[in-house]
Amino acid sequence: MRGLRRWWDDTAGGLPATFWYLWSGLLINRAGAFALLFLSLYLTAARGAPPSLAGLVVGAYGIGGAAGTLLGGVLADRWGRRATLLAAHLVAAGLMATLAFSTHLAVIAALATLVGVAHSMPSPAFVAAIVDVVPEARRSRAFNLQFWAFNLGMAVASLLAGVLAEASFTALFLVDAGATLAAAVVIALKVPETLGRRPALTPRAAVGRRPGLHTALTDRTFLAFVGLTFLLAVLTMQTSTIMPLAMRADGLRPSAYGLVVALGGALIVAGQLFVPRLIEPYRKSTVLAVSTGLMALGFGTLTVADGLPLYLGAAVVWTAGQMLAAPPNAQINADLAPPELRARYQSVFYLTFPAASFVAPALGGLSLEHLGERHWLVVGALGLLAAAGHLLAGPPRESRVAALRAAAAEPVRSAR
């Protein structure tokens, strides 16, 4: 019992109450965010749309997501984290309820685009609020719990979505709207505004800085990290875009693909909470290099995979890499952001995921078609390239973080 209590203290102890309310809002949000998982099926089965048009509508949701990520970052730094989270959740709930009763395909496409905007707006605000309230020494654990909640919520959503879709697509959208509204209620009642007064820029920090997205988009150290994260996201997207095609080519049934995906989700839910203690003694760049190396090994193994056992074994390897990468990835992103531009930096960082969701299937499909199983060698090479990049970029990143901390401490020393 004492050992369990010590483990829990190491994993989640010392985190402020506001973090747990944010965590609860995120979990409720993700557990209810299942309608879009079945959007293409809804369009083809219930609204008679051809597959090509269904693909365009789903793509419109992705375009809206990219716009919403940037908009959420800007608003979270201007309006505040709480205001942005509330606005995004309330708008998303209203749009989902409207979508439940919409029948015209053009209206559904427009609503799907707007839902993409509303669904993506909270991400930068959530992370910025966590950084605002969690002490630096506990942030790695906080981000690990955030990643765990996200995956747990998605696992619940996947189970509920199938049941609701069998019963009624209208119910699917309405329950999604209700869950989004419930998350908004938690935020409204329990989450205070975490954005304090903007810290005054020190002369050293102010030189050459124009506040806004321009700063994040011209920060070379940060953009190098974003580029490496984009490679990691491209690897991660293989499981939902190219791997199903490869498994079908190997004669495996859709149920086999579902088993591989379920195994990855189960590993994350069962093991993610143990990751912070495991990686704590090591430098973040080393952990990220090992994690992307594991992902390279896992996906590279698919070159010789022709049956379900090898796919399951490879999934264990690349899921371990994903689990190791989550806390340091989020921590570095938070460390590199100036406090007054925290949410904007988050929004640029989160653009890597919609970008990867486009690049992975577009180029991956061509690669699989022309290279066959050798496609997985290319994916493995990308992972090794990212691993080497993290080792090379680690020292400059650490120097940059130290400089930002020194600049943040300078006004305090001057006041004293």
Side-chain angles (χ1 to χ4, degrees):
M1 191 69 181
R2 288 181 181 176
L4 181 62
R5 182 176 298 175
R6 188 181 304 113
W7 168 78
W8 178 252
D9 288 341
D10 289 341
T11 303
L15 293 171
T18 299
F19 165 78
W20 288 110
Y21 291 125
L22 288 165
W23 183 89
S24 300
L26 175 65
L27 180 61
I28 295 169
N29 182 302
R30 288 297 90 195
F34 39 65
L36 274 301
L37 297 175
F38 279 75
L39 181 59
S40 58
L41 180 61
Y42 164 72
L43 290 168
T44 53
R47 297 304 174 201
S52 57
L53 180 57
L56 287 175
V57 174
V58 175
Y61 173 83
I63 292 172
T69 298
L70 290 176
L71 179 62
V74 172
L75 293 181
D77 278 337
R78 289 185 178 177
W79 287 1
R81 318 326 188 189
R82 182 176 184 272
T84 302
L85 288 170
L86 284 174
H89 281 78
L90 292 174
V91 170
L95 289 171
M96 292 302 295
T98 306
L99 196 55
F101 300 103
S102 300
T103 57
H104 198 283
L105 288 175
V107 174
I108 292 173
L111 288 171
T113 306
L114 294 174
V115 169
V117 174
H119 274 180
S120 297
M121 282 177 60
S123 296
F126 263 124
V127 178
I130 290 171
V131 177
D132 291 341
V133 301
V134 176
E136 185 178 340
R138 308 295 299 177
R139 283 177 191 163
S140 178
R141 290 171 170 80
F143 289 131
N144 190 66
L145 286 163
Q146 177 205 11
F147 181 71
W148 184 72
F150 184 91
N151 283 277
L152 178 61
M154 290 302 294
V156 173
S158 299
L159 293 173
L160 292 177
V163 175
L164 286 171
E166 290 284 339
S168 165
F169 281 112
T170 300
L172 190 73
F173 288 106
L174 290 177
V175 174
D176 192 322
T180 305
L181 189 60
V185 170
V186 172
I187 293 166
L189 295 178
K190 294 296 184 179
V191 177
E193 179 53 63
T194 65
L195 177 63
R197 258 188 340 180
R198 297 175 184 271
L201 293 176
T202 62
R204 182 188 306 169
V207 172
R209 179 180 293 177
R210 283 189 285 168
L213 282 173
H214 175 270
T215 305
L217 293 172
T218 55
D219 185 334
R220 287 180 293 181
T221 303
F222 174 68
L223 291 180
F225 173 66
V226 169
L228 291 170
T229 303
F230 170 73
L231 292 180
L232 185 145
V234 168
L235 265 65
T236 301
M237 291 291 175
Q238 299 298 310
T239 56
S240 59
T241 57
I242 305 304
M243 190 180 72
L245 303 178
M247 294 184 73
R248 186 176 64 181
D250 285 332
L252 296 172
R253 298 172 60 84
S255 57
Y257 169 68
L259 186 59
V260 172
V261 173
L263 174 63
L267 288 173
I268 291 173
V269 171
Q272 189 66 45
L273 295 181
F274 298 93
V275 169
R277 193 169 184 178
L278 177 66
I279 66 175
E280 193 169 19
Y282 305 101
R283 296 170 66 175
K284 296 180 182 67
S285 56
T286 303
V287 174
L288 287 173
V290 171
S291 68
T292 48
L294 285 172
M295 294 180 70
L297 176 62
F299 285 112
T301 301
L302 298 187
T303 306
V304 296
D306 57 2
L308 183 57
L310 267 178
Y311 276 98
L312 291 171
V316 171
V317 176
W318 74 59
T319 302
Q322 290 176 309
M323 292 166 66
L324 292 176
N329 225 30
Q331 179 70 57
I332 291 171
N333 184 32
D335 289 343
L336 288 174
E340 70 278 5
L341 300 175
R342 191 167 279 156
R344 287 176 172 88
Y345 269 64
Q346 296 293 337
S347 67
V348 173
F349 172 79
Y350 273 98
L351 277 180
T352 57
F353 301 103
S357 68
F358 172 76
V359 169
L363 297 184
L366 289 173
S367 174
L368 187 67
E369 181 179 339
H370 290 91
L371 298 178
E373 292 178 342
R374 288 175 295 170
H375 162 77
W376 299 112
L377 291 177
V378 175
V379 175
L382 283 177
L384 294 177
L385 178 66
H390 278 297
L391 291 176
L392 293 173
R397 278 202 304 255
E398 292 167 4
S399 299
R400 167 66 186 280
V401 171
L404 283 171
R405 288 172 179 165
E410 191 172 315
V412 178
R413 288 196 301 266
S414 300
R416 287 176 178 173

